[in-house]
Each structure stands twice: as structure tokens, then as C-alpha cells.
Amino acid sequence: MTRTARPSRAAIISQLRLAARRGDRTALARATEQMKTWAYSPRYWRKYLQLLTHPLARLVDLTVIKQGEKIARQKAWDAPAGRVSKSQAPPRTEVRRPRPRVARAAGSPTQPPLFPDLAP
């Protein structure tokens, strides 16, 4: 197995642009794999979040990888402006009501047994 070179921000964005311009699925797959390399390894989290400042990379993260917000939460980094963190949000006063249980339908009495020789 050959080891690929470390992905760079410019390389990932160029692959995403190529995929957007030509509809090249191979370029999109390469860019996605390189983004996953950064997203799933704590070593590259900062680089990954910097990559997400580009709109195409953000779109891929939102639709495929879904790691950007999770990483920021785990690292306890500040939320973007306009969002309220859970600690600053007002407490919920709603009380959830338990759902009514739905009875499962019993097997149909007209259904023949699977093993008629073993029937009592």
C-alpha cells in the first residue's frame, strides 16, 4: 500500500472546484477522502476548521462529513456570532409528555403454521 502525500488546503479546494466545474466524481471523492483525513484526526482539527471557511468545503462538510460543528464543540471553541451556546440559552420550561404506547398487531389467525408437522 502506497502512502499518499499529506493533503494541503489548496489541493483540497482545487479538487472541490474541479468537481464543481466539471461534475468530476473522482475529484469529489479525492477531496472528500482528504477532508475526512483531516476531520477524523485530532492532529488536523484546526486545519480542518480553517478549511471550512471556504464555501465548497463547508458544503461537503454539511452534506457528507458533518464534523465541523462536532469538533468545535469538543474543543470548546467559541460558537460563531449569532448562535447562543447551551449555557447561555434560557432553560426549557416545557414538560415532555410520555407517548401513548401503541399495541403491536398480533399474528393473523389465518396464517398457516411454518411447520405443520410440529403443530400441537
Side-chain angles (χ1 to χ4, degrees):
M1 183 171 164
T2 61
R3 187 175 175 150
T4 59
R6 290 185 191 162
S8 68
R9 183 179 191 274
I12 293 173
I13 291 175
S14 68
Q15 292 291 328
L16 289 173
R17 283 186 181 143
L18 182 67
R21 226 178 294 131
R22 295 186 187 168
D24 187 359
R25 290 181 185 211
T26 306
L28 180 62
R30 279 187 195 152
T32 304
E33 287 303 315
Q34 290 173 348
M35 286 177 70
K36 283 181 183 178
T37 300
W38 281 11
Y40 295 140
S41 62
R43 180 178 181 178
Y44 296 112
W45 281 355
R46 286 197 186 271
K47 285 186 176 186
Y48 184 70
L49 290 175
Q50 289 172 351
L51 174 69
L52 293 183
T53 59
H54 193 276
L56 288 173
R58 183 73 179 145
L59 181 63
V60 171
D61 178 72
L62 287 172
T63 56
V64 179
I65 303 171
K66 303 175 185 173
Q67 282 288 98
E69 297 294 326
K70 181 179 176 186
I71 293 169
R73 257 193 329 269
Q74 287 175 349
K75 300 289 275 183
W77 289 333
D78 294 333
R83 284 197 173 172
V84 177
S85 67
K86 287 186 179 180
S87 62
Q88 296 173 349
R92 292 179 65 181
T93 58
E94 303 173 6
V95 177
R96 287 190 173 180
R97 295 181 182 157
R99 290 184 176 177
R101 293 188 178 236
V102 178
R104 290 189 175 193
S108 173
T110 59
Q111 180 178 358
L114 292 174
F115 302 104
D117 297 335
L118 300 176

